[in-house]
Amino acid sequence: MKSIESCDRAWHDNFKKYTEFIVASPAYKGLFYERKADGTIKWVVTGKSKHGKLRQAWWDAACRRLGIPIDKGCYAIAARMIHPTKIHVCQCCGKPLSILYVYPNKNLLKSVNNYFGINLRQSDYTIFEIIDKYCFTQECLDFIAGRFHLRNGLDSSVLKKQIKDKFTDKCLKPLSPGAMSNCPDRFDGYHSDGLCCRERTDKGRHSDNMKTYMQDRRAYEEWSDGNYNLANRLMGEFHKGNKTYMCPICHKKKRMTADHIGPVSLGFRHHLYFAPMCQSCNSSKNNRFNYKDVQTLREIENNGGEVISWHSKYLWDKLKCVVYDDESAKVASRIMATNHQNILFIFSEIWKATGEEYLIRFLHPEYSLVDYRFNNFDPFDLSKIEIISKEVDSKNKRKNQERYIRVAFESLSEFSMKGNRRAKSYYSQVENEVHKVIGLIKNGDYDKADKLLNMSIAHLGNLIFDAEWPY
Ligand SMILES: [Zn+2]
Ligand SMILES: [Zn+2]
């Protein structure tokens, strides 16, 4: 995988066609533009430049002509009224999207995805399409109506009409337009990246993709090693866009999701070794590995890759050599899950006794401060991918960093409240060692504490292996 600093985004062909269509439209007669040396239109001017002022004067005149009082937001109204097709084309991906408020905003999308158990992105469907595609019962219609504070019992055509009249036409929450206004900088008065690509191009926003969100949360909760930020971004690439592929498991043509070869809940790293498969095959794999996965993971390790988090390495090294078929792989998965739950329990005991200072050394908040984009992404061949990384220190990145640390410690506090009920507990057999670790931490002797912690984890691994490996 090669890495370059940053790159300029080329215009999508559809966007080129769109710019030609728009400048030729009589709706924009007299609005300033010029062409670059290569013949393409210079779409963007800066607001305060000479050319920016020319454009602004045109928009001012347009507002007067349309009877829109000049104030904050007047250009957005004018741009919407003037636009000849109301369809904007995304500069990045070429996707045509409505400039009207017809797409779910982030909150609405989240609840729709939750309610229907789906994984839509904001730009996939308009609210009207969502109603047509997913609402087959009155209960579903009432759910949507509730989100718009409309009454229950409306049939789908009445519901759609009320949403259109009361929300779409008034540009109200919980809806979003397919392109944000940006007047007079852009010729058509709209940001060139559509809603489809804003998450990726707008550094101030992070992906709203539920699946990614749940996945990265899980990696933090499990105290996984690995560059979680890069792994999250790469996972997100799998469910971007509508491209469908033949699922290697069920052989149906579907959108792909990323499945970790070696799940984080068993102690594996949040690494970049993903297998593409459809959502339903992914869900039914259910945090296990099979014999083929073990072989793949060993091969990755033989080639210098890292797959397992430090805290689970001891048991993995023991198990990976003795697994010999799917059935024994299944047993090994179960053993690793038990081991991992016990390790988290040890962490939670340390946290209760000593606070965050010692344990935070096992987290990697520095990974948050990098932005990633990808070229040559192919879900079935990640070897060709080009990772473009850029260091950023923004408020938003700091927030991600804080969230990562918070989620990790919250999971320990939950653990200590619930006790270790999720798996068979071996803790009592290593309790004395853990208390010694805690003593060393309290004395500030972190090096010795590290050594003893590793020894108790190895001890724990042996106990579990001896008790639960039947072969
Ligand atoms: Zn796009
Ligand atoms: Zn499938």
Side-chain angles (χ1 to χ4, degrees), residues 358-417:
Y358 171 77
L359 288 168
I360 208 167
R361 294 154 57 254
F362 301 129
L363 299 175
H364 300 278
E366 70 277 8
Y367 290 141
S368 288
L369 300 181
V370 183
D371 238 323
Y372 297 100
R373 287 195 292 110
F374 305 96
N375 286 331
N376 306 330
F377 173 76
D378 173 354
F380 288 89
D381 184 5
L382 291 175
S383 66
K384 282 184 300 203
I385 199 169
E386 183 180 23
I387 303 172
I388 301 147
S389 60
K390 205 167 115 192
E391 274 184 47
V392 265
D393 190 353
S394 65
K395 209 169 135 194
N396 199 53
K397 296 285 157 195
R398 293 276 164 196
K399 261 165 88 183
N400 285 349
Q401 202 171 44
E402 281 163 25
R403 173 173 167 264
Y404 160 65
I405 294 169
R406 198 185 65 235
V407 169
F409 281 105
E410 271 172 8
S411 85
L412 295 188
S413 104
E414 253 171 56
F415 228 99
S416 75
M417 282 189 298

Side-chain angles (χ1 to χ4, degrees), residues 173-452:
K173 281 182 191 174
L175 297 172
S176 285
M180 302 295 286
S181 74
N182 178 247
C183 198
D185 293 15
R186 262 80 182 175
F187 184 88
D188 61 351
Y190 285 94
H191 272 291
S192 302
D193 302 339
L195 187 61
C196 40
C197 291
R198 272 181 71 78
E199 286 172 5
R200 183 166 42 159
T201 52
D202 185 343
K203 301 289 184 287
R205 282 156 191 255
H206 58 88
S207 168
D208 191 40
N209 193 299
M210 282 298 285
K211 168 90 181 160
T212 307
Y213 176 81
M214 295 307 290
Q215 278 290 347
D216 70 12
R217 192 177 164 91
R218 206 169 335 144
Y220 304 170
E221 285 173 346
E222 310 289 357
W223 287 67
S224 311
D225 284 344
N227 185 336
Y228 57 85
N229 186 13
L230 177 56
N232 291 341
R233 296 304 282 258
L234 187 58
M235 279 191 111
E237 273 319 280
F238 279 78
H239 9 92
K240 242 168 220 167
N242 291 313
K243 225 169 155 182
T244 55
Y245 301 84
M246 161 109 77
C247 171
I249 314 282
C250 66
H251 304 293
K252 285 180 192 150
K253 211 165 161 353
K254 285 190 175 173
R255 278 164 71 170
M256 287 299 106
T257 65
D259 182 54
H260 267 124
I261 310 170
V264 292
S265 58
L266 304 188
F268 287 93
R269 292 163 70 96
H270 193 21
H271 52 53
L272 302 181
Y273 309 106
F274 293 117
M277 62 185 69
C278 75
Q279 178 74 68
S280 64
C281 289
N282 196 338
S283 311
S284 63
K285 254 194 100 188
N286 204 10
N287 293 327
R288 269 209 301 258
F289 52 72
N290 55 35
Y291 185 45
K292 191 171 159 274
D293 293 335
V294 173
Q295 289 172 308
T296 308
L297 290 165
R298 287 183 60 173
E299 203 182 303
I300 294 167
E301 288 187 321
N302 289 339
N303 292 322
E306 290 180 291
V307 300
I308 191 81
S309 297
W310 71 273
H311 47 65
S312 299
K313 190 169 185 323
Y314 181 83
L315 192 56
W316 164 245
D317 284 344
K318 224 170 146 77
L319 285 166
K320 72 185 180 194
C321 307
V322 293
V323 165
Y324 61 92
D325 62 1
D326 279 344
E327 193 49 41
S328 58
K330 201 164 133 189
V331 177
S333 311
R334 205 182 58 219
I335 290 181
M336 287 195 64
T338 303
N339 182 60
H340 187 53
Q341 294 298 306
N342 277 276
I343 284 167
L344 290 177
F345 189 74
I346 293 175
F347 285 7
S348 81
E349 290 294 298
I350 294 176
W351 170 76
K352 266 199 297 190
T354 70
E356 298 186 358
E357 198 187 303
Y358 171 77
L359 288 168
I360 208 167
R361 294 154 57 254
F362 301 129
L363 299 175
H364 300 278
E366 70 277 8
Y367 290 141
S368 288
L369 300 181
V370 183
D371 238 323
Y372 297 100
R373 287 195 292 110
F374 305 96
N375 286 331
N376 306 330
F377 173 76
D378 173 354
F380 288 89
D381 184 5
L382 291 175
S383 66
K384 282 184 300 203
I385 199 169
E386 183 180 23
I387 303 172
I388 301 147
S389 60
K390 205 167 115 192
E391 274 184 47
V392 265
D393 190 353
S394 65
K395 209 169 135 194
N396 199 53
K397 296 285 157 195
R398 293 276 164 196
K399 261 165 88 183
N400 285 349
Q401 202 171 44
E402 281 163 25
R403 173 173 167 264
Y404 160 65
I405 294 169
R406 198 185 65 235
V407 169
F409 281 105
E410 271 172 8
S411 85
L412 295 188
S413 104
E414 253 171 56
F415 228 99
S416 75
M417 282 189 298
K418 274 195 293 220
N420 196 6
R421 266 186 260 126
R422 277 193 276 173
K424 198 169 167 207
S425 175
Y426 290 83
Y427 177 71
S428 61
Q429 298 178 63
V430 294
E431 195 172 6
N432 285 338
E433 292 155 57
V434 174
H435 281 158
K436 280 185 199 144
V437 174
I438 288 170
L440 289 166
I441 295 169
K442 283 183 173 165
N443 287 333
D445 199 343
Y446 287 4
D447 285 347
K448 272 199 190 135
D450 285 351
K451 271 189 204 122
L452 190 56

